[in-house]
Amino acid sequence: MMAIQGTWDDVFGKSPPKVVALASALAALLRALNPACVEVARPGDKAVSFGWGAAKMSQAYAYLMPQKDRVNLGFYQGANLPDPAGLLEGTGKSMRHVKVHDEALAQSAPLRALVLAAMEKSRANGGLE
């Protein structure tokens, strides 16, 4: 096991209950959309990644990162995702995130569509068709 890998509690253990509940709802969505996903807690990044394998940038498509009053649902290739609802934020070369403040957004169709698009882009880029 790599040193950057840890447990869910290493990442979310000190977060407020609201943040933990949001993270749990988002993780449930990610797991439901890909029951075979590989989930890696990365305490050094203060995030939990979800993907086709343990490699962060090449195999993961999404991550959850706790914030003071929300959870950032991030996408490693988010700059290349369709986002008709305008949920994505960020200015990096490839990464984007959605600031999730409530469960309504966590369960919304536009957010679900982003996750599915991220999964498909990652699958195609990784040759996992």
Side-chain angles (χ1 to χ4, degrees), residues 29-88:
L29 171 68
L30 292 163
R31 292 175 190 134
L33 293 176
N34 180 7
C37 73
V38 175
E39 191 174 326
V40 181
R42 302 177 183 283
D45 293 342
K46 297 182 178 101
V48 176
S49 66
F50 295 79
W52 309 108
K56 180 170 73 174
M57 296 303 286
S58 63
Q59 295 176 323
Y61 46 82
Y63 63 88
L64 300 177
M65 181 179 285
Q67 303 295 316
K68 181 179 173 183
D69 62 346
R70 68 177 190 275
V71 175
N72 284 356
L73 169 58
F75 300 97
Y76 291 103
Q77 299 299 318
N80 301 312
L81 297 178
D83 182 24
L87 297 176
L88 292 171

Side-chain angles (χ1 to χ4, degrees), residues 13-33:
K14 295 181 182 176
S15 297
K18 173 189 173 183
V19 171
V20 173
L22 284 172
S24 295
L26 289 165
L29 171 68
L30 292 163
R31 292 175 190 134
L33 293 176

Side-chain angles (χ1 to χ4, degrees), residues 86-108:
L87 297 176
L88 292 171
E89 298 184 38
T91 59
K93 182 177 179 182
S94 60
M95 294 174 65
R96 296 289 185 273
H97 64 276
V98 177
K99 294 177 180 174
V100 181
H101 289 273
D102 57 57
E103 263 196 72
L105 179 56
Q107 301 303 324
S108 72

